[in-house]
Amino acid sequence: MKKQLLAMVLGASAFVSTTAMAADIPFPHLETTGRGEVTVKPDMAVFSVNVVETKKTAVDAKKAVDQAVTKFIERLQASGVNKKDINSANISLSARYTYPKDQKPELSGFKASRNIEVTVHQLTKLNTYLDDALGDGINQINNINLKVSDVEKYQQQARQKAIENAKQVAASLAQGFDNKIDSVWRIDYNTNGQPMPYRQSNDAVMSSMSKGSIDKSYADNSIVIKDRVNVIFKLAEK
């Protein structure tokens, strides 16, 4: 007697493969999604700050932000930051207007802004760099992203956990239905859209601006690196 197609759709640990179903797989099988994650402590960060100035002329506005950025970069390099870890090439310049009632708009000045992004390889120096920024005319701290230097190593660990999870779930389900796994028939893996490491909110940064508190707050945080793999297993013939 011809065996019926066996397909199991698992809640949080499985997926429905429309491609596989459309292909009408001609043997008993089950589909699972294995998930894995690794929690690590950050050892580096990337932060960005803005300097914004409004002056009567475009030249003066640009000059003001350029001076602030130059001072900040000099202080960063004096503190040991490599030039390649500083990105400050972009600049934005726009006219500002006032709008008197029942009159034509009047030019009031020009607004210039520059963004500086800094990669910090020693997390213990983050507080020093932010203090330098605030003392150099920088008037906006945009965000601070926690990172880990050897991310690929931890991504591989998360991937292996996802593989083991997929195998364990498949074996457990097959056993529950008085069957067992015969072999892997298909593996679908796509890193696109994988969850990103933890990001500290700007509010949390600004609320911990006292000396040393930023370093401590980041030392207490963690990065969760996740991965997943979709697998179709062929069930053993009975």
Side-chain angles (χ1 to χ4, degrees):
M1 180 178 179
K2 199 172 182 179
K3 288 186 173 64
Q4 297 295 321
L5 177 68
L6 175 61
M8 304 175 187
V9 182
L10 315 179
S13 300
F15 72 105
V16 177
S17 174
T18 55
T19 302
M21 292 180 68
D24 192 22
I25 302 173
F27 50 77
H29 69 282
L30 64 84
E31 309 172 26
T32 65
T33 295
R35 305 178 190 277
E37 63 179 51
V38 177
T39 302
V40 297
K41 292 293 184 182
D43 59 4
M44 61 181 293
V46 176
F47 74 89
S48 63
V49 296
N50 263 7
V51 55
V52 181
E53 293 287 351
T54 301
K55 301 293 182 181
K56 287 294 183 180
T57 68
V59 172
D60 287 342
K62 181 180 182 301
K63 183 178 180 180
V65 297
D66 286 347
Q67 288 177 342
V69 169
T70 298
K71 288 180 180 179
F72 182 41
I73 292 176
E74 288 175 350
R75 289 171 70 91
L76 286 173
Q77 291 183 296
S79 299
V81 178
N82 194 302
K83 187 176 181 179
K84 68 181 179 62
D85 292 324
I86 306 170
N87 182 4
S88 62
N90 61 325
I91 184 170
S92 173
L93 189 64
S94 60
R96 312 298 290 175
Y97 292 88
T98 58
Y99 297 88
K101 187 176 180 180
D102 300 326
Q103 297 181 38
K104 292 182 180 180
E106 297 177 357
L107 181 64
S108 61
F110 290 85
K111 176 183 176 182
S113 65
R114 284 186 67 177
N115 175 267
I116 308 100
E117 185 177 86
V118 183
T119 299
V120 180
H121 294 284
Q122 291 180 276
L123 203 56
T124 54
K125 293 187 176 181
L126 178 59
N127 195 38
T128 299
Y129 300 148
L130 290 174
D131 284 345
D132 287 346
L134 296 174
D136 279 324
I138 308 297
N139 40 33
Q140 292 181 11
I141 295 179
N142 294 334
N143 54 61
I144 301 176
N145 295 336
L146 295 175
K147 292 181 177 291
V148 60
S149 55
D150 197 0
V151 67
E152 181 56 33
K153 178 180 75 174
Y154 298 111
Q155 192 71 55
Q156 290 180 7
Q157 291 179 10
R159 187 178 306 128
Q160 287 302 313
K161 288 188 176 185
I163 292 170
E164 291 302 318
N165 179 244
K167 290 170 20 178
Q168 291 170 5
V169 171
S172 176
L173 284 165
Q175 183 179 22
F177 285 89
D178 300 320
N179 207 321
K180 62 181 180 179
I181 298 300
D182 177 62
S183 60
V184 174
W185 184 76
R186 174 171 170 171
I187 301 172
D188 289 323
Y189 179 77
N190 189 342
T191 56
N192 291 334
Q194 292 297 321
M196 297 298 290
Y198 173 86
R199 175 180 290 182
Q200 179 88 356
S201 71
N202 198 38
D203 289 342
V205 174
M206 299 307 294
S207 66
S208 59
M209 276 296 186
S210 60
K211 184 174 177 59
S213 61
I214 291 180
D215 296 334
K216 185 178 185 302
S217 71
Y218 283 116
D220 291 340
N221 280 319
S222 298
I223 298 175
V224 178
I225 300 175
K226 299 182 180 182
D227 214 331
R228 71 179 187 179
V229 59
N230 302 325
V231 187
I232 299 177
F233 293 90
K234 182 179 180 181
L235 291 170
E237 296 286 340
K238 286 187 176 182

